[in-house]
Each structure stands twice: as structure tokens, then as C-alpha cells.
Amino acid sequence: MEEDMFAPNPNKRNPLVLVGALATGGVLTMGLVAFRQGNMAMSQKMMRARVILQGATVALLVGTSGASAFNLDKLPTIFSSSTTTETK
């Protein structure tokens, strides 16, 4: 089965994951600069912020990949066929 490399990708990507990754990288850089300058308090705050941002980015990544794997279009037909009972 060959795939067309230039076909449109049906999976939509969440731009917030990219924003979270860039924000994590920015905070990491700021923390390393503060550490290099000897500002330990600021470096510690930036590293804590990095951990929070990194966790949020991973949560977004996992949440959106799970949501894209789950086809919501089929959900109503699955539940309507299993919950309807015929009474005569």
C-alpha cells in the first residue's frame, strides 16, 4: 500500500503543542542565562516554571493525540444502536 507524500494530512495538529514547546524552550534558556549570571533565585524559579510548562505541553500532546485517535463521528451511532430497545 503506497501513500502519497503530498496528500493532505487528515490528522489535525494542535498548534498549542508547538506554542508550549517554544515556551518551554524559552523559559529553559532564561533559566540557564540566570544561572550563568549567578542569579540562583531567578534560575530556580525559571526551572520550576519549565517543569510546569513541560508538563502542560506533554498533557496537551497526549490529550490531542488521544482525541484524534478517537473518531467522534461514529459515537452517536454506537450509542444509539446499543441503547435503543424495541418494544412491541
Side-chain angles (χ1 to χ4, degrees):
M1 185 187 260
E2 291 185 33
E3 293 184 32
D4 185 12
M5 248 173 40
F6 301 107
N9 187 358
N11 298 328
K12 293 186 179 182
R13 297 181 188 257
N14 189 349
L16 292 177
V17 173
L18 178 61
V19 170
L22 291 173
T24 301
V27 169
L28 174 64
T29 303
M30 288 171 43
L32 290 173
V33 168
F35 179 75
R36 186 174 173 108
Q37 292 174 349
N39 190 351
M40 294 301 164
M42 179 62 109
S43 176
Q44 191 65 248
K45 287 179 185 177
M46 289 294 110
M47 291 302 126
R48 288 178 184 165
R50 178 197 56 88
V51 169
I52 293 168
L53 281 171
Q54 191 171 356
T57 303
V58 170
L60 269 170
L61 183 65
V62 170
T64 55
S65 66
S68 67
F70 189 66
N71 191 354
L72 295 176
D73 295 334
K74 294 182 180 179
L75 188 63
T77 58
I78 291 170
F79 283 124
S80 66
S81 65
S82 65
T83 58
T84 56
T85 57
E86 294 180 23
T87 56
K88 292 185 181 181

